[in-house]
Amino acid sequence: MAAPSFHMGHMRTLTTIILLLFSSLAASQEGKSIEKLAFGENDERIEAMGELVASGSEKAAAVLQALSDGEVFTSGKRVLIVREAGATDAVTGEKLASVPDDKEEVTVNNRVRRELAGALAALKLVSPDLQTRLSSVNELLGNAEPAMLPLVKKALEKEGDAGIRGMLEQIVATLELKSEDPEVRRAALQKLAGSGSQATKTLLLNYLQEEKQEDLRLEAQKTLRAIDAGLAWGDRLGAAFTSISLGSILLLAALGLAITYGLMGVINMAHGELIMIGAYATYVVQGWFRSSGFFDYYLIAAIPIAFFAAAAVGMVLERTVIRWLYGRPLETLLATWGISLIL
């Protein structure tokens, strides 16, 4: 029984050595990427961001966030993260006793800053917070870079939310369109057929201009037709909803005008402005609830408040102006038209 135990012990030792070796190599590559990020030209910096995103480590996220916050400096050949608490070596994690006097800030231009925002969004894909992941996915849709593909796939494997999974699959398919393997591009086209978004349609139109392989061009056109069919249904439903919404507003306005004229003999040219007051009251309530932290419930309070706000203004108008003009349509038309201009 001693021999198997001896071999198992050797296997565990060998596995540990291999893991340490890979860890050391990864750390060494990460250090080179950080140095390239600080000392390289713009293209090299963008390449380094892709490498750091692909690693998906906490150190990579910390360095990129520090660069975004303007906290990355160089001192000689060292890359430092300088905060109020002091300076830390970005590569080794070593805390310095004091901040070097010769430090120089690493500045980035707009192009690098745009890429940096995308890189930070990609690293947030593995956040434990659902809203952070959702925000990250929305930011990456249409803006992801090929270097982010390993991290996006990693996030897709771990993602439990169905909605975010669908968007991650779309990002993966979008990135795989840039693959050198024709079969990978074909599979990506088939995945994108169910996307049904205008952004995907624009992406495929650009892809058609670049793709040279005829069978893949035909597959892209087939995907475009599927997306167009989905967008057409969406447009029809949107038009129907808009028509019903506008029709209901016009119906309410017409009923209000008819009832007012039938009961009081008043032509109210300020009727639309009273509807506007209800809408403005809803907007104000929305602002209150946004600052209170209960934004999801603002509509419950906004409906009665909008009703009472419009009713209060209507009663003031009736008491001060309209009550003296009952049965005199021409005078009420002129008076309420003037009120509508004031409102």
Side-chain angles (χ1 to χ4, degrees):
M1 294 299 291
S5 299
F6 176 78
H7 286 303
M8 288 295 290
H10 272 65
M11 286 296 292
R12 282 196 294 270
T13 303
L14 183 60
T15 302
T16 303
I17 292 172
I18 291 171
L19 288 174
L20 288 171
L21 180 61
F22 275 110
S23 175
S24 176
L25 288 172
S28 174
Q29 180 58 47
E30 198 170 54
K32 291 178 181 177
S33 299
I34 292 172
E35 290 173 356
K36 197 187 331 182
L37 187 69
F39 296 106
E41 299 296 330
N42 289 333
D43 288 338
E44 293 176 315
R45 287 178 174 179
I46 291 170
E47 183 183 351
M49 285 181 203
E51 294 167 355
L52 291 171
V53 167
S55 74
S57 69
E58 291 184 8
K59 181 194 287 186
V63 171
L64 291 175
Q65 186 60 59
L67 182 62
S68 176
D69 296 338
E71 296 173 342
V72 175
F73 292 78
T74 59
S75 175
K77 295 184 178 181
R78 301 184 79 174
V79 184
L80 308 176
I81 297 175
V82 180
R83 299 190 175 101
E84 291 181 3
T88 305
D89 191 304
V91 176
T92 64
E94 175 192 354
K95 289 189 72 67
L96 277 65
S98 60
V99 179
D101 294 330
D102 63 344
K103 72 178 190 304
E104 294 182 11
E105 183 179 355
V106 176
T107 58
V108 294
N109 60 17
N110 289 337
R111 178 191 170 205
V112 175
R113 192 166 292 282
R114 282 195 300 270
E115 299 293 339
L116 180 59
L120 286 170
L123 287 169
K124 291 175 184 175
L125 287 174
V126 292
S127 168
D129 181 62
L130 177 66
Q131 289 302 318
T132 301
R133 297 199 306 276
L134 181 60
S135 173
S136 174
V137 169
N138 284 326
E139 192 170 339
L140 286 177
L141 280 171
N143 297 312
E145 293 295 326
M148 300 175 185
L149 184 58
L151 185 62
V152 176
K153 285 185 173 180
K154 179 181 175 182
L156 179 59
E157 291 173 3
K158 295 182 177 180
E159 185 56 59
D161 183 83
I164 295 179
R165 280 189 65 84
M167 289 189 284
L168 285 172
E169 287 169 355
Q170 184 178 339
I171 293 172
V172 169
T174 301
L175 294 176
E176 286 178 342
L177 278 181
K178 302 173 184 177
S179 171
E180 295 181 0
D181 186 346
E183 292 307 314
V184 173
R185 299 203 299 275
R186 188 189 309 279
L189 288 169
Q190 292 168 353
K191 291 176 189 173
L192 288 172
S195 166
S197 74
Q198 187 64 46
T200 304
K201 180 180 177 179
T202 304
L203 172 74
L204 289 174
L205 289 172
N206 293 332
Y207 170 79
L208 272 172
Q209 295 176 358
E210 300 171 0
E211 180 58 63
K212 305 300 182 186
Q213 201 165 317
E214 187 59 30
D215 59 333
L216 288 178
R217 287 178 60 83
L218 292 173
E219 187 70 42
Q221 290 167 356
K222 179 181 175 183
T223 302
L224 272 172
R225 286 194 294 271
I227 292 173
D228 281 335
L231 288 173
W233 275 108
D235 290 341
R236 293 189 193 104
L237 290 173
F241 178 81
T242 302
S243 301
I244 293 170
S245 177
L246 290 175
S248 65
I249 293 171
L250 293 174
L251 177 63
L252 287 171
L255 287 172
L257 289 168
I259 291 169
T260 303
Y261 184 72
L263 292 176
M264 297 183 289
V266 172
I267 297 176
N268 183 12
M269 294 295 289
H271 193 70
E273 279 66 30
L274 293 175
I275 295 174
M276 176 199 71
I277 286 167
Y280 187 72
T282 303
Y283 170 74
V284 172
V285 172
Q286 188 185 69
W288 290 341
F289 274 73
R290 181 179 282 112
S291 59
S292 69
F294 297 96
F295 183 73
D296 293 340
Y297 307 101
Y298 85 89
L299 193 60
I300 298 171
I303 290 175
I305 290 175
F307 175 82
F308 286 116
V313 173
M315 285 188 286
V316 170
L317 291 178
E318 196 278 334
R319 288 289 180 183
T320 56
V321 178
I322 294 173
R323 70 179 305 179
W324 313 106
L325 302 173
Y326 287 157
R328 297 155 65 184
L330 182 59
E331 285 85 346
T332 57
L333 185 150
L334 292 173
T336 55
W337 181 58
I339 291 168
S340 74
L341 294 178
I342 294 170
L343 290 177

